[in-house]
Structure formats: structure tokens, C-alpha cells
Amino acid sequence: MVLHLSAKEAARYPGLRARLGGTPAPKAKPTKARAGAQPNATAYVEWDAAREIGGARHWVLDLPDTELINANDRGHWSRRQRLTASIREAAAVLARQARIPRLTRARVIYVVKPKARTRVFDPSNWAPSAKAAVDGLQDAAVFEDDNAAVVTGVDPRAGERQNGTNVRMSLVIIDQEKEAEQW
């Protein structure tokens, strides 16, 4: 696992590096910051898929390079509606192509891959895009309904930075049917 944690985050959350298995950062000389600048705000912790998924049956759907809906975007409602429809349709088409069977209990992780030059990054800002994608999975009959009894969680994760014009998103659908049987 590669751990990228800024000095600001490490100061805000003492002991985070140790809990995540990272080594302590070397002490840097204090620098004079510009007004309004966020020092060392370029790093974030990337998602370790193998650790979280384990041996569970899962599917990965990479949404096409399209514009996503950001929760901070205050655009016009019609533009937002068009984007929602395109994300929903793309997720449904990809799920049908992957031939994902109907799942009675599942968890969805959406991995947001920012642009290469993104400095500060919060993957939960793309929750509206993830909601549209989960609705597309329901349209493709992966879930009977996307209520809390069927979809146990829709969780954000930070992916690797990539080149491109848009932020990219992947969906990881994890089958939890066997876990439900154990309860």
C-alpha cells in the first residue's frame, strides 16, 4: 500500500500514519506560507482494493470519460438532469455487458480518479454521480431495489490520479449474499 499523507492531515489526525501502516514523515523545516495557501495539500490516501474486497465476488465497472456531477457544482438543473441521465444509462449498459447477475445484497464502492494536477481532493463530492450510477445498476436489474436492505452502502474511495479532461469514476460492486447467510 502506498501511503500519501500531507503534513497538514498528519497534524490534524495524530497517529493516523501509524494506524494506516505508514512511516512517520521526516520533519521539514517550517516555511513561510503565502496568504490563503494550503501547504502540502497535494497528497491523499489511495484506496487499497485487495485489502478491502478480499476474496469476495465482485465486479468493476469503469464509467466512460464523461463529465460527472459534483455536489459543489451549482449548475443549472437541466444540465444536471442531462448528466444524471447519461451516467445512469452508462452504468446500466456496462452492467448488462458485464452480465452481472441479480444480487440480493451488495455493497457499492465508487472510486473517483482525479485529474493529474488536482491538489485538494474529496471523493465524497461525487456522491450525486454515484447515486445516478447505482440507479443505473437498478435499471439493469442488478438490484431489485436500491434500498438499504439490498445495497448496504455506497462508499467513496480515492483512486489514482490520471490524465484526461474529466474526473473518472469506477464502480466496484461487491456481492454480500454469503455474508448475509452467515448472520
Side-chain angles (χ1 to χ4, degrees), residues 8 34 36-42 119-120:
K8 181 180 177 182
R34 294 177 303 179
Q38 294 180 349
N40 299 325
T42 61
R119 289 185 45 190
V120 178

Side-chain angles (χ1 to χ4, degrees), residues 39-155:
N40 299 325
T42 61
Y44 61 93
V45 178
E46 291 181 8
W47 181 51
D48 184 8
R51 182 188 214 174
E52 191 166 350
I53 295 172
R57 186 169 74 150
H58 68 282
W59 297 266
V60 178
L61 303 178
D62 292 321
L63 294 179
D65 189 11
T66 184
E67 190 174 358
L68 299 175
I69 306 165
N70 187 319
N72 294 331
D73 184 16
R74 303 289 182 236
H76 195 268
W77 64 267
S78 64
R79 178 179 165 271
R80 190 177 185 102
Q81 189 175 23
R82 272 194 320 275
L83 292 174
T84 300
S86 69
I87 294 166
R88 187 173 181 157
E89 183 179 355
V93 168
L94 289 171
R96 288 184 192 111
Q97 287 176 348
R99 295 188 175 159
I100 301 174
R102 179 171 292 246
L103 303 173
T104 57
R105 188 172 171 88
R107 181 171 161 221
V108 177
I109 296 174
Y110 63 97
V111 182
V112 182
K113 302 169 188 171
K115 298 176 192 176
R117 297 187 68 176
T118 301
R119 289 185 45 190
V120 178
F121 178 63
D122 182 4
S124 61
N125 283 341
W126 280 269
S129 296
K131 172 60 178 152
V134 169
D135 288 343
L137 296 176
Q138 183 181 346
D139 294 344
V142 174
F143 312 121
E144 182 178 337
D145 191 10
D146 62 349
N147 63 38
V150 178
V151 180
T152 61
V154 180
D155 305 318

Side-chain angles (χ1 to χ4, degrees), residues 5-24:
L5 191 63
S6 72
K8 181 180 177 182
E9 290 169 328
R12 185 181 304 152
Y13 306 107
L16 182 63
R17 284 185 198 275
R19 283 186 300 206
L20 294 175
T23 58

